[in-house]
């Protein structure tokens, strides 16, 4: 039997797309998804909410010169509706809002075009948006762009973000004041009287379910009665900001299902898009796929996750899609390809170049070394090198790019010193590339693994009062709430002391250097010590201390050698960071690398101590996480 084609029904205030599998109702000309009918369910979206709160695009914007990551929240609505494509195989509709000078100060100065696509035989629909700013328009800041679906709370109770991150979830009512107790951050709530007793004593916090861009490809919810899945599939991260390990929200209690395109989470103001006076800008966010699936028996309901992963792979293989009608979305034959091989040259590790096994290699907009992790205006394309350092990046939009990379096991960032120009259909071979990480002399000692996270350090058990059952005995145990408070429990009388050659960073280096709470409720900064022995000291040479930070939040790291009271300190970062990683249960934010010269005359034969002081002390959530620390001897002629 031939399947029915896609039908489009245009009514006074609504548009209905129907392919015989799914029916999607969108308000017109607003462009708000008000209803999704599937598998006998009249509406998968929350029918008790106003229509504008069901399926919508939103953004946050602020006037230029504003600081911080907040601003005006706008569930932006279209003012004009247009049918772009209408055939039996495909329907694409557009909802646009056009800016003019009369709206200055009241509405973000952008032309906004929201698109929705339905294909024949497809159990789902696609959405994307085109944002455009003309050079003569006022500049502004844009901290957030996303698409949100609020599902029915009487149906969708089971959430899945990854194979090992899925569970039944509390109800939204459980977060209200009569059932939940607010904690240190507004997102975190202790469930004291939940509707379902099984959740009593648990902490709910949407940030506990964040994921890195590279892993954030499919997530969503399962209803058991009837057994139906609702999934948000993102087949490419090219339109997301911040690179492959930037973290974003996924799904959370509501039940909400999000696609985050632009956010400052785990980074702060560094990832707020700031347009300058006279700067034109245009970007396509998406398409993303909203996928629905079902099984006949509740006994098989959890197989919907496996099916959703299979569908994600199909969507990824089909990227870039050939069907979006916007000329701003380049088709497969309008893109280019780059390949090459990356090796690491570190003469104190090996005389010969080392293949950059597992390196993250990307094409990012032009900028300084490492600027890709703060970049949010353009597009980025990333891959992982194989064990021999070979890499291929394809499906790249036309334009000028930097080749960027970082290699697990080595500090710092690589940037190819030639701008790469991608043209339609190009296939560029770069040959062998060499990354020479910063290095002055042989390693005297090191703490941690240079992988841009603090995951290898000691992560404590949570306070029994603040448990999320999902993360008990879990690889991501750092996602438990309140771990920063455990530092004072473990070090009640003095701060951490790490003795090189005796201490083990897996057990003896706390994952975050945070403040200590005093009995009077104020906070004090903490000073950690690294003790190490030197048999011989080159008093005329210069030693090098490499400090790689995995994150920082309103912190100042001061370094002293052998004198804890030296003023000024040997080195200070000054105030750094708005990552908020500690509060949001992450293990990294923005990567920072500091290279500090230590004169040989500062060191002594015998025991030496490096003092690391986190000096900002007004808040329990201030602090830093270390990625890796290394002390190098003065340069030598041999390795």
């Amino acid at each position: 039997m031939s399947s029915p084609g896609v039908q489009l029904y245009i009514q006074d205030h609504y548009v209905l797309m129907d392919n015989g599998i799914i029916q999607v109702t969108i308000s017109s000309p607003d462009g708000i998804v008000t209803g999704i009918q599937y598998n006998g369910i009249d509406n998968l979206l929350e029918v008790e909410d106003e229509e504008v709160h069901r399926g919508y695009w939103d953004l946050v914007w602020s006037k230029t010169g504003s600081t911080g990551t907040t601003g005006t929240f706008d569930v932006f609505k279209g003012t004009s509706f247009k049918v772009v494509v209408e055939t039996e195989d495909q329907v694409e509709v557009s909802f646009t809002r056009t800016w003019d000078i009369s709206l200055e100060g009241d509405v973000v100065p952008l032309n906004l075009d929201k698109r929705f696509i339905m294909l024949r035989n497809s159990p789902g629909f696609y959405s994307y948006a085109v944002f455009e700013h003309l050079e003569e328009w006022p500049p502004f800041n844009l901290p957030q762009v996303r698409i949100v679906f609020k599902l029915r709370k009487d149906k969708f109770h089971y959430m899945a973000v990854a194979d090992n991150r899925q569970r039944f979830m509390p109800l939204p009512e459980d977060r209200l004041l009569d059932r939940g107790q607010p904690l240190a951050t507004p997102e975190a709530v202790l469930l004291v009287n939940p509707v379902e007793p099984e959740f009593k004593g648990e902490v709910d916090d949407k940030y506990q379910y964040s994921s890195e861009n590279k892993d954030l490809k499919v997530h969503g919810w399962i209803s058991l009665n009837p057994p139906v899945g609702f999934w948000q599939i993102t087949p490419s991260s090219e339109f997301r900001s911040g690179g492959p390990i930037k973290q974003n929200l996924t799904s959370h209690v509501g039940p909400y299902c999000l696609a985050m395109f632009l956010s400052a989470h785990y980074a702060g103001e560094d990832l707020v898009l700031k347009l300058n006076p006279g700067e034109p800008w245009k970007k396509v966010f998406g398409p993303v796929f909203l996928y629905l699936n079902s099984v006949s028996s509740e006994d098989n309901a959890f197989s919907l996750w496996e099916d959703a992963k299979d569908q994600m792979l199909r969507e990824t293989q089909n990227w870039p899609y050939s069907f979006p009608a916007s000329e701003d979305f380049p088709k497969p034959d309008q893109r280019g390809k780059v390949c090459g091989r990356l090796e690491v040259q570190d003469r104190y590790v090996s005389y010969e170049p080392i293949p950059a096994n597992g390196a993250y290699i990307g094409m990012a907009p032009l900028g300084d070394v490492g600027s890709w992790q703060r970049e949010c205006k353009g597009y980025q394309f990333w891959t992982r090198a194989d064990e021999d350092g070979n890499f291929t990046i394809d499906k790249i939009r036309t334009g000028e790019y930097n080749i960027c990379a970082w290699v697990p096991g080595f500090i710092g960032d690589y940037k190819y010193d030639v701008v790469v120009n991608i043209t339609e259909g190009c296939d560029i071979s770069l040959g062998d590339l060499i990354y020479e990480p910063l290095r002055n002399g042989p390693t005297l000692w090191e703490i941690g693994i240079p992988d841009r996270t603090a995951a290898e350090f000691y992560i404590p058990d949570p306070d029994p009062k603040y448990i999320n059952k999902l993360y008990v005995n879990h690889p991501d145990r750092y996602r438990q709430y309140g771990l920063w408070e455990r530092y004072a429990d473990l070090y009640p009388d003095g701060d951490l002391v790490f003795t090189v050659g005796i201490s083990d960073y897996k057990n003896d280096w706390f994952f975050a250097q945070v403040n200590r709470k005093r009995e009077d409720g104020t906070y004090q900064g903490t000073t950690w010590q690294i003790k190490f022995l030197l048999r011989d000291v080159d008093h005329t040479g210069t030693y090098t201390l490499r400090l790689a930070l995995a994150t920082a939040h309103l912190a100042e790291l001061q370094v002293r050698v052998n004198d804890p009271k030296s003023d000024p300190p040997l080195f200070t970062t000054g105030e750094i960071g708005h990552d908020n990683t500690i509060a949001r249960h992450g293990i990294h934010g923005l990567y920072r690398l500091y290279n500090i010269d230590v004169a040989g005359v500062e060191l002594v034969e015998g025991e030496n101590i490096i003092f690391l002081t986190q000096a900002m002390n007004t808040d329990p959530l201030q602090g830093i996480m270390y990625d890796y620390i290394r002390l190098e001897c003065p340069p030598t002629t041999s390795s």
Side-chain angles (χ1 to χ4, degrees):
M1 293 177 60
S2 62
S3 61
V6 187
Q7 301 293 320
L8 178 66
Y9 302 96
I10 301 175
Q11 303 164 354
D12 289 343
H13 302 291
Y14 298 93
V15 175
L16 175 67
M17 298 186 296
D18 184 352
N19 65 2
I21 303 171
I22 174 177
Q23 296 81 44
V24 177
T25 303
I26 308 171
S27 63
S28 179
D30 296 348
I32 305 293
V33 180
T34 62
I36 300 174
Q37 189 174 347
Y38 173 74
N39 197 42
I41 302 177
D42 287 342
N43 199 346
L44 302 184
L45 304 181
E46 183 50 80
V47 293
E48 293 186 3
D49 277 6
E50 295 180 33
E51 289 187 341
V52 72
H53 295 148
R54 296 180 186 176
Y56 54 90
W57 284 78
D58 68 35
L59 57 83
V60 176
W61 74 285
S62 61
K63 295 179 181 179
T64 191
S66 301
T67 58
T69 60
T70 59
T72 301
F73 178 73
D74 183 9
V75 178
F76 58 92
K77 299 177 180 178
T79 56
S80 178
F81 162 70
K82 181 173 69 174
V83 179
V84 180
V85 176
E86 185 178 11
T87 70
E88 287 193 343
D89 293 321
Q90 176 178 343
V91 163
E92 180 169 342
V93 290
S94 165
F95 302 87
T96 55
R97 186 175 84 183
T98 304
W99 194 83
D100 64 59
I101 197 69
S102 68
L103 301 172
E104 184 171 1
D106 298 323
V107 174
V108 61
L110 285 169
N111 285 337
L112 301 168
D113 183 357
K114 293 185 287 186
R115 302 282 185 103
F116 298 91
I117 301 171
M118 182 175 284
L119 303 180
R120 188 174 195 152
N121 296 329
S122 175
F125 63 102
Y126 299 84
S127 187
Y128 67 107
V130 183
F131 285 27
E132 181 180 29
H133 177 263
L134 304 185
E135 62 180 325
E136 63 269 24
W137 289 355
F140 66 97
N141 298 346
L142 191 65
Q144 178 174 285
V145 177
R146 63 181 188 172
I147 188 170
V148 181
F149 289 91
K150 176 76 176 297
L151 306 181
R152 284 178 62 160
K153 64 184 179 183
D154 64 333
K155 295 288 186 186
F156 292 94
H157 299 152
Y158 189 85
M159 189 180 84
V161 174
D163 285 338
N164 64 351
R165 298 173 67 199
Q166 45 186 281
R167 59 167 296 175
F168 284 100
M169 296 291 286
L171 294 170
E173 291 86 348
D174 296 338
R175 295 179 53 86
L176 301 179
L177 282 177
D178 59 335
R179 295 188 178 275
Q181 175 186 321
L183 296 173
T185 59
E187 297 84 8
V189 173
L190 178 63
L191 308 180
V192 294
N193 183 31
V195 175
E196 298 290 341
E198 65 184 282
F199 299 114
K200 185 173 182 178
E202 285 209 55
V203 171
D204 178 66
D205 186 334
K206 64 182 179 181
Y207 290 109
Q208 292 180 319
Y209 305 102
S210 298
S211 286
E212 296 177 349
N213 283 343
K214 64 181 175 61
D215 304 319
L216 214 175
K217 297 180 179 179
V218 56
H219 62 91
W221 292 81
I222 293 173
S223 162
L224 296 183
N225 184 25
V228 165
F230 183 100
W231 310 101
Q232 191 273 303
I233 294 177
T234 305
S236 169
S237 283
E238 67 180 47
F239 40 77
R240 288 183 177 140
S241 57
I245 60 172
K246 164 70 173 71
Q247 294 166 96
N248 277 307
L249 292 170
T250 57
S251 290
H252 60 88
V253 164
Y256 286 104
C257 189
L258 312 176
M260 301 295 299
F261 300 108
L262 177 64
S263 86
H265 298 144
Y266 303 94
E269 194 170 345
D270 284 329
L271 266 171
V272 173
L273 190 153
K274 297 182 178 181
L275 287 177
N276 301 309
E279 182 179 8
W281 177 70
K282 181 184 280 189
K283 189 168 186 178
V284 179
F285 294 106
V288 296
F289 186 42
L290 290 313
Y291 174 62
L292 307 180
N293 56 5
S294 62
V295 289
S296 57
S297 170
E298 183 179 323
D299 295 339
N300 297 324
F302 300 116
S303 68
L304 295 172
W305 165 250
E306 296 298 326
D307 176 71
K309 289 195 299 178
D310 291 341
Q311 185 65 37
M312 177 271 291
L313 292 175
R314 288 189 286 271
E315 299 297 326
T316 302
Q317 290 162 2
N318 290 332
W319 185 271
Y321 299 133
S322 58
F323 53 80
S326 171
E327 62 182 15
D328 295 307
F329 183 78
K331 307 300 186 287
D333 60 354
Q334 297 174 301
R335 297 176 177 234
K337 177 180 177 181
V338 166
C339 64
R341 182 170 184 249
L342 181 65
E343 296 178 300
V344 179
Q345 183 68 69
D346 184 336
R347 66 191 180 97
Y348 289 104
V349 176
S350 170
Y351 287 118
E352 301 297 324
I354 304 165
N357 180 11
Y360 291 79
I361 303 176
M363 307 283 286
L366 305 184
D368 298 329
V369 175
S371 64
W372 56 266
Q373 67 170 343
R374 292 173 169 83
E375 197 285 321
C376 49
K377 292 179 181 178
Y379 302 89
Q380 297 192 28
F381 305 84
W382 287 83
T383 190
R384 299 284 306 265
D386 67 15
E387 61 184 10
D388 294 321
N390 298 303
F391 65 91
T392 298
I393 307 174
D394 57 8
K395 308 172 184 177
I396 310 168
R397 285 170 162 262
T398 58
E400 292 186 331
Y401 294 89
N402 286 143
I403 297 272
C404 308
W406 60 276
V407 187
F410 296 90
I411 62 171
D413 276 275
Y414 168 80
K415 190 182 88 167
Y416 185 46
D417 57 8
V418 177
V419 172
V420 178
N421 184 31
I422 298 296
T423 57
E424 289 188 9
C426 72
D427 188 348
I428 299 171
S429 176
L430 299 173
D432 290 342
L433 309 178
I434 298 291
Y435 172 44
E436 297 184 30
L438 291 171
R439 169 75 80 168
N440 289 337
T443 299
L444 192 59
W445 50 258
E446 59 187 350
I447 300 172
I449 302 169
D451 61 359
R452 301 191 176 224
T453 86
E456 69 268 28
F457 298 126
Y458 180 72
I459 297 166
D461 292 328
D463 187 317
K465 294 185 297 185
Y466 302 130
I467 294 288
N468 182 321
K469 292 176 185 173
L470 174 62
Y471 295 115
V472 174
N473 299 320
H474 191 281
D476 294 353
R477 53 188 290 136
Y478 57 83
R479 297 188 186 275
Q480 294 279 14
Y481 173 86
L483 297 183
W484 60 87
E485 296 180 348
R486 299 286 288 121
Y487 175 76
D489 296 337
L490 294 167
Y491 297 91
D493 303 317
D495 286 327
L496 182 150
V497 177
F498 186 93
T499 303
V500 172
I502 297 175
S503 302
D504 176 2
Y505 65 75
K506 295 178 182 177
N507 300 312
D508 302 318
W509 190 272
F510 198 76
F511 78 105
Q513 186 170 358
V514 293
N515 290 324
R516 179 190 303 280
K517 189 174 184 178
R518 296 187 178 103
E519 290 184 3
D520 63 0
T522 62
Y523 295 89
Q524 68 181 89
T526 52
T527 297
W528 291 8
Q529 299 179 40
I530 303 173
K531 294 184 175 182
F532 59 99
L533 294 175
L534 290 179
R535 287 195 299 256
D536 300 299
V537 178
D538 182 350
H539 292 293
T540 62
T542 299
Y543 294 72
T544 306
L545 181 66
R546 311 281 185 193
L547 281 174
L549 303 187
T551 192
H553 182 66
L554 298 175
E556 179 185 354
L557 179 59
Q558 300 173 352
V559 180
R560 295 174 173 86
V561 177
N562 287 332
D563 179 0
K565 300 186 183 301
S566 62
D567 187 17
L570 174 66
F571 171 82
T572 179
T573 61
E575 184 176 333
I576 53 172
H578 292 85
D579 300 7
N580 220 8
T581 303
I582 295 168
R584 290 173 173 170
H585 329 296
I587 203 66
H588 68 85
L590 294 177
Y591 177 77
R592 297 167 175 87
L593 177 62
Y594 299 97
N595 306 289
I596 304 156
D597 289 340
V598 181
V601 294
E602 301 278 348
L603 301 172
V604 299
E605 293 181 357
E607 184 180 80
N608 293 265
I609 305 176
I610 290 177
F611 298 92
L612 303 173
T613 298
Q614 197 297 101
M616 306 291 286
N617 58 359
T618 58
D619 187 301
L621 300 173
Q622 289 172 298
I624 59 175
M625 295 182 191
Y626 296 91
D627 166 41
Y628 173 72
I629 305 174
R630 181 170 77 213
L631 184 64
E632 297 172 12
C633 294
T636 59
T637 55
S638 70
S639 61

